[in-house]
Amino acid sequence: MRVAIVGATGAVGHELMKVLEQSRLNFSELQLYASPRSAGITLTFKGQQLTVQATPDGPIPADVILASAGGSISQALAPKWVEGGAVVIDNSSAFRYDPEVPLVVPEVNGEAALGHKGIIANPNCTTAIAVVAVAPIHRTYGVKRMIVSTYQATSGAGQKGMDELLEQTRVQLDGGVAGSKEFAHPIPFNVIPHIDVFQDNGYTKEEMKVAWETRKILGDESLQVSCTAVRIPTLRTHSEAITLDLERPATPDQIRDLLAGAPGVEIRDNPQEKLYPMPLTASGKYDVEVGRIRQSLVFDGGIDLFVAGDQLLKGAALNAVQIAEYLQEHGALN
Ligand code: A2P
């Protein structure tokens, strides 16, 4: 079983290598690809030096390709990789809304991956993190409406986004005026309610992705979702305040018990002890932290909660590797 990473030198690529080192995925070879700029550099994997190759404009000799080099690369090359015999797990948004392409969070709808036709899409990071907590609630209590406000880390804009946060914070602390290349405005000491492009309905594409993708993953087109997506000056964990209007009323204790047994969730919910989800504690963790679980004051029997999940892990690299593991464990990989 040969695995390839396309975009190996990026922020998600780096995490893919770290997650693969710990993974139970059984594979014999790892190939690394990036842009021609990175060809020839070496990266360490399990103590060995692997050389990065320029991504070819055609098939890649691998059985599984983990793609994280952006939408235009995936759009142009993924069909060629599939023709070459590979299964592509794509981190970009290029194929997520194609009805032929499964959109998968293994804890939630892993079985959908088994119906793939060569490409499996990894969801938008905010959505992947939210559905780990929301899917068990939807299954048991039926979510009718979901209102999400996000606090999204700079890693969502790749390595360059994280670098800009650190560099421009330094500029500002040194008395200069922070600038911005990766975000709509300078990010240090700021919050920016603008991620991706604005749509005709006044929402951003990032906000609409949460609505479109949550419905697709949960398999429920009737679910109403409204999101406000905000970039904040943190490095790699997205946090989200989520309000759920439920078909069947639930108490906070019922939700806490339900989520305590849910895969991929760590309950962190003891406000008296100052215990709740935060980027400080969720960064680097595989599980999504869930806390501040309380009865909604707006929807009868509804629930408010707060989640924090590592954007580069459950929001990207970890989820992609878990999809590959799921396929292998279900005999769906060579
Ligand atoms: P490179 O480092 O050679 O530019 P991030 O999301 O952190 O910015 O990472 C993007 C990843 O996508 C990097 O590994 C980057 O490689 C890779 N990439 C960018 N452009 C291309 C391209 N034209 N072909 C292949 N990989 C690319």
Side-chain angles (χ1 to χ4, degrees):
M1 229 276 287
R2 301 157 302 171
V3 176
I5 299 175
V6 177
T9 52
V12 174
H14 180 73
E15 296 300 318
L16 279 167
M17 290 179 68
K18 285 206 321 206
V19 174
L20 281 171
E21 278 188 334
Q22 314 279 325
S23 159
R24 53 179 193 271
L25 191 71
N26 188 9
F27 61 100
S28 54
E29 185 189 331
L30 179 64
Q31 303 162 22
L32 304 179
Y33 298 91
S35 81
R37 295 180 291 277
S38 301
I41 70 164
T42 57
L43 298 173
T44 308
F45 181 73
K46 291 190 176 169
Q48 286 189 325
Q49 295 299 108
L50 300 183
T51 303
V52 176
Q53 305 175 59
T55 306
D57 183 28
I60 284 178
D63 301 294
V64 175
I65 298 175
L66 303 166
S68 196
S72 50
I73 299 287
S74 292
Q75 189 82 52
L77 297 179
K80 298 185 188 178
W81 300 334
V82 172
E83 265 174 43
V87 175
V88 179
I89 301 173
D90 183 35
N91 202 49
S92 82
S93 61
F95 302 100
R96 288 184 194 148
Y97 313 116
D98 182 333
E100 299 279 294
V101 174
L103 182 65
V104 177
V105 174
E107 297 91 325
V108 178
N109 66 338
E111 65 291 346
L114 302 176
H116 75 82
K117 297 193 167 109
I119 300 174
I120 299 166
N122 212 29
N124 162 267
C125 42
T126 309
T127 312
I129 290 163
V131 295
V132 169
V134 171
I137 301 175
H138 186 49
R139 247 179 256 125
T140 309
Y141 296 99
V143 176
K144 282 191 294 189
R145 287 184 277 198
M146 170 170 159
I147 300 166
V148 187
S149 299
T150 75
Y151 307 77
Q152 296 186 220
T154 52
S155 56
Q159 189 60 47
K160 287 183 187 144
M162 292 190 283
D163 292 345
E164 181 170 311
L165 170 62
L166 296 175
E167 283 158 16
Q168 295 305 311
T169 300
R170 233 172 260 130
V171 167
Q172 197 156 330
L173 289 175
D174 289 344
V177 177
S180 181
K181 281 204 203 109
E182 304 302 322
F183 307 105
H185 297 275
I187 187 70
F189 309 104
N190 197 9
V191 296
I192 307 173
H194 176 183
I195 303 178
D196 210 331
V197 294
F198 280 98
Q199 311 286 285
D200 289 344
N201 64 358
Y203 285 76
T204 61
K205 193 159 181 203
E206 180 80 0
E207 291 162 348
M208 293 314 300
K209 283 176 186 172
V210 174
W212 297 328
E213 297 182 25
T214 301
R215 286 191 203 115
K216 181 164 176 177
I217 295 164
L218 297 184
D220 182 355
E221 287 304 315
S222 71
L223 181 62
Q224 290 178 280
V225 182
S226 174
C227 178
T228 303
V230 181
R231 186 77 71 196
I232 63 163
T234 53
L235 279 173
R236 55 179 288 165
T237 284
H238 285 1
S239 305
E240 306 175 39
I242 303 176
T243 297
L244 300 172
D245 182 19
L246 304 174
E247 268 160 29
R248 292 172 288 285
T251 65
D253 279 344
Q254 285 173 319
I255 297 295
R256 234 171 261 123
D257 285 350
L258 175 71
L259 293 181
V265 169
E266 179 190 321
I267 297 285
R268 217 178 145 78
D269 197 18
N270 189 347
Q272 304 316 319
E273 300 292 326
K274 301 186 194 164
L275 206 66
Y276 26 68
M278 289 188 298
L280 193 69
T281 47
S283 295
K285 224 179 241 181
Y286 280 14
D287 284 347
V288 171
E289 294 183 349
V290 181
R292 299 292 321 277
I293 300 171
R294 59 209 192 275
Q295 200 82 63
S296 166
L297 297 179
V298 175
F299 297 116
D300 283 345
I303 289 291
D304 276 14
L305 45 80
F306 195 74
V307 304
D310 190 306
Q311 188 270 336
L312 294 172
L313 289 173
K314 191 60 195 170
L318 174 66
N319 197 68
V321 172
Q322 287 173 329
I323 292 171
E325 289 171 345
Y326 187 97
L327 292 174
Q328 190 171 62
E329 281 156 16
H330 289 77
L333 283 182
N334 297 331

